Amino acid sequence: EVDLEERLCELDLKSDSDVPDVPPPTDSTPEILKRALSGLSARWKNWWIRGILSLAMISGFFLIIYLGSFMLMLLVLSIQVKCYHEIITIGYRVYHSYDLPWFRSLSWYFLLCVNYFFYGETVADYFATFVQRREQLQFLIRYHRFISFALYLTGFCMFVLSLVKKHYRLQFYMFAWTHVTLLITVTQSHLVIQNLFEGMIWFLVPISSVICNDITAYIFGFFFGRTPLIKLSPKKTWEGFIGGFFSTVVFGFIFSYFLAQHQYFVCPVEYNSETNRFVTECEPSELFQMKKYSVPPLLQAVLGWETVHMYPFQMHSFALSIFASLIGPFGGFFASGFKRAFKIKDFADTIPGHGGIMDRFDCQYLMATFVHVYITSFIRGPNPSKLLKQLLILQPEQQLSVYKTLKSHLVEKGILQPSLRG
Amino acid sequence: SDDTPEVLNRALSNLSSRWKNWWVRGILTLAMITFFFIIIYLGPMVLMTIVMCVQIKCFHEIITIGYNVYHSYDLPWFRTLSWYFLLCVNYFFYGETVTDYFFTLVQREEPLRILSKYHRFISFALYLTGFCMFVLSLVKKHYRLQFYMFGWTHVTLLIVVTQSHLIIHNLFEGMIWFIVPISCVICNDIMAYMFGFFFGRTPLIKLSPKKTWEGFIGGFFSTVLFGWLLSYVMSGYRCFTCPVEFNNDTNSFTVDCEPSELFQLQEYNIPLVLQSVVGWKTVRMYPFQIHSIALSTFASLIGPFGGFFASGFKRAFKIKDFANTIPGHGGIMDRFDCQYLMATFVNVYIASFIRGPNPSKLIQQFLTLRPDQQLHIFNTLKAHLVDRGIL
């Protein structure tokens, strides 16, 4: 019997060509589609399947948007779990480690821990009034970090205790694989949810820009593609890349114009404790109020207008769509490299014609982080209710000194009348 | 390779190799502990620098192991990229720390103010550059290796860099929060070894055949006692208990404050059970000593799991030590493997049970809000203070 450890040591050192291929994914196209398209040639059939599934996914997307923030959160969570599962399964296949003692349970346990940690941080912030009312939740929130850390440590100790003599290396590989996957999928899905809470427009515009870039780059490449872009993805061309860039910027600009008019998309999502529902109602911030901009003389000649009415958000949409078209594709190249490294064609075969969920979402990951960093750096100030919550936890002497500092600041700025005595 | 300095080699040339090894380990241990005391004496700035150096050396040791495992030392760009990612992540963390603790200094200098305001964006842009460079550096025959090294680098960063910054946060909270945990781990290491040496019989875990239950339990009780006594001695001195602050006028670190409640002697009633044993009715001690029990318990019970993890890692990749930096002891990582979990635990412990939010940070955030939000918060705070009778 060949020692698995020895075989894997050799596997590590050999070049890529010696890695055994993973068996090709089974064809999971639904029967109805197969029958409807049985007449066409294989190439057109593939095109039609991809097209129909794309439309199906986009319609599903619109439906969920209509159903509201809570459904969106659930959707994001499900996608995260599925992506995690797909990547971990690839790890099992690469290392033939599906039967490692405890490992499947430990992977799911770590997923649960990290999600618990992130959801606790988010929930505490946005559901402050809901949490205040319930004693048990208060305790969980106050010691949240400690509880999360204790849960994680339990998993860590279980891992150490599960190390088995012949499988040390495999177990460490899977441990690292799990952690890197968590880092990629879970953190980003939480950033997506935080963007969502900022306002649905911050969720919709970035995701649509990435999808638009995907589709238009494909179309431009299909009709005009000549010069290859990067060795990693031989199907991508410079014509597709540039065409996709301009189309996405225009699309983002126009799409933001339409979304910025509706409170439903523009307002931060808030949880109303009386009705126990999410509400998106507010006074639209400055970003979403029409302003008059002077067209620079350069463009005046081209467009023929001297001033133009648009939303300030549309300027931000430039930044978002530029990122989606220029840097977003690197997420796709990374995933392509990963698939080539581990000799897989697709992450999974969940979606007929498209592959796995990860295949659709590989470009979205960098986008989600970028939008979050963009919002915290350029748009949003600190969250007032979080600030208030922290103020109320301070010691009385600290609260008094903070109160005095604030009062003098407000009086100085003229926001507070000095004659009022507190 | 045998790294022992010539001096030691000659001095110990007469002894048998087993005793020689024991003496080398012993002398180096004393040297490291003395060094530890010296840098404590030199102050927070030197400590921060030492923590940074240890972090870089640990990162280098683990990455080198990765290169050795995968024979990937010559991968295009990879050495540069690893150091670049180390720089990025350190920049991010140091920026966050500097913004918090050196707030007034940062506000004064214009370039620093801009760097601090857009800190997250700049860090993210730097990281992305590294990410794109990695993607562009993927070479046809080496995809798998490159992805392995990418994963290896990130996991190493996660372990080494985050924890070293948690240690620095603990340090700023007060040197006692830095010294007591580290000393407890060291004490547990030494005591468990001693108890194991003299009384060890029952093996503890297959991963580390030299560890025994006797050593483990003996180490536990000694460490709790040690932590208790060390806290008692240290709580009396302001230079250990006060938060480290940066004084704008003198441009140096100061540790001067009114000691918090934790570090003021209080009288405790001894539970009846212990009264008969100890013979006292009340005892005067610092509340911090109760926390020290939590810290030393963690150091003795859970800290060793960090050591077992490192042992498993060494067995998995068939290496005896992480490196040969310290004669008789191995690499820096060999000494610090138990410290990592401890640093995170202390940080989480402080954040959960000791420290509230930082008032000056809150004022900072307040000043960036809109006027109507400021007014709303001010009125709520006022109502709260009136309610409590403070105002």
Side-chain angles (χ1 to χ4, degrees):
Chain A
E1 183 185 82
V2 179
D3 183 19
L4 193 62
E5 284 277 328
E6 300 288 316
R7 187 152 63 85
L8 275 163
C9 286
E10 287 164 20
L11 205 66
D12 283 335
L13 303 179
K14 287 187 184 153
S15 71
D16 282 358
S17 52
D18 293 325
V19 175
D21 275 332
V22 169
T26 49
D27 183 12
S28 67
T29 331
E31 265 311 300
I32 26 170
L33 273 179
K34 273 203 185 139
R35 269 184 274 126
L37 304 167
S38 54
L40 303 162
S41 73
R43 180 162 168 260
W44 278 109
K45 184 168 157 188
N46 191 38
W47 217 95
W48 271 106
I49 292 179
R50 282 185 75 108
I52 290 173
L53 260 306
S54 301
L55 282 175
M57 288 192 287
I58 293 176
S59 316
F61 188 43
F62 281 133
L63 184 69
I64 306 241
I65 292 172
Y66 176 73
L67 289 175
S69 326
F70 188 68
M71 292 303 293
L72 270 170
M73 268 178 70
L74 280 184
L75 179 70
V76 170
L77 183 63
S78 325
I79 290 176
Q80 176 216 103
V81 172
K82 190 72 183 63
C83 287
Y84 180 80
H85 179 67
E86 283 179 7
I87 302 180
I88 293 285
T89 310
I90 291 174
Y92 291 148
R93 282 206 293 229
V94 167
Y95 293 112
H96 302 275
S97 60
Y98 195 70
D99 296 319
L100 270 186
W102 280 97
F103 212 80
R104 267 170 287 159
S105 330
L106 274 176
S107 310
W108 289 114
Y109 179 80
F110 280 125
L111 178 67
L112 206 76
C113 280
V114 181
N115 266 313
Y116 175 76
F117 171 68
F118 278 114
Y119 271 108
E121 299 265 304
T122 341
V123 164
D125 287 349
Y126 291 107
F127 291 79
T129 34
F130 179 77
V131 166
Q132 292 294 80
R133 281 187 307 188
R134 292 164 178 59
E135 248 338 281
Q136 312 91 318
L137 285 185
Q138 281 242 27
F139 175 78
L140 283 181
I141 299 289
R142 199 171 146 72
Y143 299 111
H144 176 68
R145 285 201 179 176
F146 192 78
I147 295 173
S148 312
F149 183 63
L151 287 175
Y152 176 82
L153 264 193
T154 314
F156 181 85
C157 295
M158 291 308 309
F159 169 72
V160 171
L161 293 172
S162 78
L163 290 172
V164 175
K165 191 161 184 188
K166 286 216 172 307
H167 301 292
Y168 288 146
R169 196 179 238 212
L170 266 184
Q171 290 179 295
F172 272 92
Y173 278 159
M174 289 314 295
F175 187 76
W177 192 286
T178 306
H179 278 68
V180 176
T181 312
L182 283 172
L183 197 71
I184 300 175
T185 55
V186 180
T187 49
Q188 322 263 14
S189 82
H190 279 274
L191 294 178
V192 168
I193 289 180
Q194 286 197 294
N195 297 343
L196 177 68
F197 271 85
E198 199 59 28
M200 294 239 280
I201 199 174
W202 291 104
F203 172 80
L204 289 175
V205 169
I207 290 188
S208 338
S209 299
V210 174
I211 295 175
C212 168
N213 182 254
D214 239 2
I215 295 176
T216 48
Y218 180 79
I219 293 178
F220 273 86
F222 190 80
F223 287 115
F224 306 114
R226 243 165 283 280
T227 343
L229 180 62
I230 188 172
K231 270 191 298 214
L232 266 179
S233 301
K235 289 186 196 162
K236 307 256 187 242
T237 57
W238 274 102
E239 290 82 7
F241 187 70
I242 295 176
F245 170 69
F246 284 110
S247 326
T248 308
V249 170
V250 170
F251 168 81
F253 195 78
I254 298 177
F255 192 50
S256 321
Y257 179 78
F258 284 113
L259 287 185
Q261 295 166 357
H262 303 279
Q263 267 191 21
Y264 181 67
F265 297 119
V266 152
C267 290
V269 176
E270 268 155 32
Y271 184 76
N272 190 319
S273 13
E274 283 113 51
T275 60
N276 269 352
R277 282 171 57 242
F278 288 100
V279 291
T280 46
E281 254 173 43
C282 64
E283 198 54 48
S285 83
E286 279 175 0
L287 272 186
F288 302 105
Q289 288 171 14
M290 279 273 217
K291 279 222 275 254
K292 221 155 141 163
Y293 285 89
S294 313
V295 180
L298 221 65
L299 289 178
Q300 265 187 30
V302 174
L303 290 172
W305 299 322
E306 275 178 15
T307 61
V308 66
H309 275 92
M310 60 182 206
Y311 297 99
F313 180 78
Q314 293 182 271
M315 306 297 288
H316 292 296
S317 82
F318 277 133
L320 300 181
S321 36
I322 291 175
F323 186 88
S325 354
L326 296 186
I327 311 288
F330 277 89
F333 300 150
F334 186 86
S336 293
F338 180 85
K339 287 189 277 191
R340 280 172 193 284
F342 296 101
K343 303 218 188 274
I344 53 182
K345 186 178 178 304
D346 288 318
F347 278 90
D349 36 35
T350 320
I351 311 176
H354 285 268
I357 301 271
M358 257 318 272
D359 288 291
R360 288 302 92 217
F361 284 85
D362 48 27
C363 300
Q364 298 282 4
Y365 281 118
L366 287 179
M367 191 77 211
T369 319
F370 175 75
V371 174
H372 182 81
V373 172
Y374 189 85
I375 294 178
T376 48
S377 302
F378 299 114
I379 313 286
R380 176 181 72 187
N383 182 358
S385 43
K386 185 173 184 179
L387 193 59
L388 192 58
K389 186 182 77 157
Q390 290 185 311
L391 277 175
L392 296 176
I393 310 179
L394 289 174
Q395 302 293 325
E397 321 85 59
Q398 292 173 316
Q399 285 181 340
L400 202 54
S401 97
V402 167
Y403 172 79
K404 290 191 180 130
T405 317
L406 297 186
K407 186 164 161 188
S408 61
H409 170 83
L410 288 175
V411 165
E412 200 186 300
K413 294 276 177 162
I415 302 169
L416 199 61
Q417 303 306 315
S419 58
L420 286 170
R421 288 255 156 253
Chain B
S1 50
D2 183 10
D3 227 31
T4 332
E6 261 315 295
V7 167
L8 277 177
N9 259 330
R10 268 184 274 124
L12 304 167
S13 53
N14 296 332
L15 303 162
S16 74
S17 89
R18 178 162 169 258
W19 277 107
K20 182 169 161 191
N21 191 38
W22 215 96
W23 271 104
V24 168
R25 280 185 77 108
I27 290 174
L28 259 306
T29 308
L30 281 175
M32 288 193 289
I33 294 178
T34 315
F35 182 64
F36 187 44
F37 281 132
I38 291 177
I39 52 175
I40 291 175
Y41 177 73
L42 288 175
M45 189 68 195
V46 177
L47 267 171
M48 267 176 71
T49 319
I50 296 285
V51 170
M52 176 91 172
C53 298
V54 167
Q55 176 213 105
I56 293 178
K57 191 71 180 65
C58 287
F59 181 79
H60 180 68
E61 283 179 7
I62 301 181
I63 293 287
T64 311
I65 291 176
Y67 292 147
N68 291 335
V69 168
Y70 294 112
H71 299 272
S72 59
Y73 195 71
D74 297 318
L75 269 186
W77 282 98
F78 212 79
R79 268 171 284 157
T80 323
L81 273 176
S82 311
W83 289 111
Y84 179 81
F85 281 126
L86 177 67
L87 204 77
C88 281
V89 181
N90 265 313
Y91 175 77
F92 172 68
F93 278 115
Y94 270 105
E96 299 266 306
T97 326
V98 164
T99 318
D100 284 349
Y101 291 106
F102 293 81
F103 181 61
T104 29
L105 174 70
V106 166
Q107 291 297 82
R108 269 194 314 203
E109 314 285 337
E110 197 45 39
L112 285 185
R113 201 178 65 80
I114 297 182
L115 279 183
S116 128
K117 190 160 148 67
Y118 299 109
H119 176 69
R120 284 198 181 181
F121 191 77
I122 296 172
S123 311
F124 183 62
L126 287 175
Y127 176 81
L128 265 192
T129 315
F131 182 84
C132 295
M133 292 309 309
F134 169 73
V135 172
L136 293 172
S137 79
L138 289 172
V139 174
K140 194 161 179 181
K141 285 222 171 303
H142 300 293
Y143 289 148
R144 193 178 234 219
L145 271 183
Q146 289 179 296
F147 271 92
Y148 277 159
M149 289 312 295
F150 188 78
W152 192 286
T153 306
H154 278 69
V155 176
T156 311
L157 284 172
L158 196 72
I159 297 175
V160 172
V161 180
T162 49
Q163 320 265 16
S164 80
H165 280 272
L166 293 179
I167 289 183
I168 290 180
H169 273 276
N170 298 345
L171 177 68
F172 271 86
E173 199 59 31
M175 298 241 283
I176 198 172
W177 290 104
F178 171 81
I179 297 173
V180 168
I182 291 187
S183 326
C184 285
V185 175
I186 295 175
C187 170
N188 183 255
D189 239 2
I190 297 176
M191 288 294 140
Y193 181 79
M194 297 268 181
F195 274 86
F197 190 80
F198 290 115
F199 307 113
R201 243 164 284 279
T202 342
L204 179 61
I205 188 171
K206 269 189 299 213
L207 265 179
S208 300
K210 288 187 196 163
K211 309 256 186 241
T212 57
W213 274 104
E214 290 82 9
F216 187 71
I217 296 176
F220 170 65
F221 284 109
S222 327
T223 309
V224 170
L225 188 65
F226 169 80
W228 178 270
L229 292 171
L230 183 70
S231 319
Y232 180 76
V233 169
M234 289 193 127
S235 299
Y237 297 95
R238 269 199 211 163
C239 68
F240 296 126
T241 61
C242 288
V244 175
E245 269 155 33
F246 185 75
N247 191 321
N248 296 306
D249 311 308
T250 63
N251 266 352
S252 67
F253 288 101
T254 50
V255 272
D256 211 7
C257 67
E258 200 52 49
S260 84
E261 275 178 7
L262 273 186
F263 303 106
Q264 289 170 13
L265 274 176
Q266 268 175 27
E267 222 165 290
Y268 286 88
N269 293 321
I270 301 187
L272 291 168
V273 179
L274 287 177
Q275 265 187 31
S276 42
V277 173
V278 176
W280 298 320
K281 287 229 180 92
T282 61
V283 66
R284 292 178 71 88
M285 60 182 203
Y286 297 97
F288 179 76
Q289 292 181 270
I290 315 256
H291 292 297
S292 83
I293 296 183
L295 299 180
S296 38
T297 308
F298 186 87
S300 356
L301 297 187
I302 311 288
F305 276 88
F308 301 149
F309 186 86
S311 293
F313 180 84
K314 287 189 279 190
R315 281 171 194 283
F317 295 100
K318 303 208 195 292
I319 53 181
K320 187 181 177 303
D321 286 318
F322 278 90
N324 295 317
T325 322
I326 312 176
H329 285 270
I332 301 272
M333 255 320 272
D334 287 291
R335 289 301 93 218
F336 283 83
D337 50 25
C338 300
Q339 298 282 2
Y340 282 118
L341 287 180
M342 190 77 210
T344 320
F345 175 75
V346 175
N347 189 275
V348 172
Y349 189 86
I350 294 178
S352 303
F353 299 114
I354 312 287
R355 176 181 68 190
N358 183 359
S360 43
K361 187 172 183 183
L362 290 180
I363 293 182
Q364 256 181 58
Q365 290 184 322
F366 182 84
L367 296 175
T368 60
L369 288 173
R370 295 195 311 259
D372 55 312
Q373 291 171 319
Q374 290 182 343
L375 205 53
H376 168 72
I377 290 185
F378 177 76
N379 287 328
T380 316
L381 182 63
K382 183 166 147 187
H384 174 86
L385 288 175
V386 167
D387 217 24
R388 295 290 179 100
I390 303 168
L391 204 60

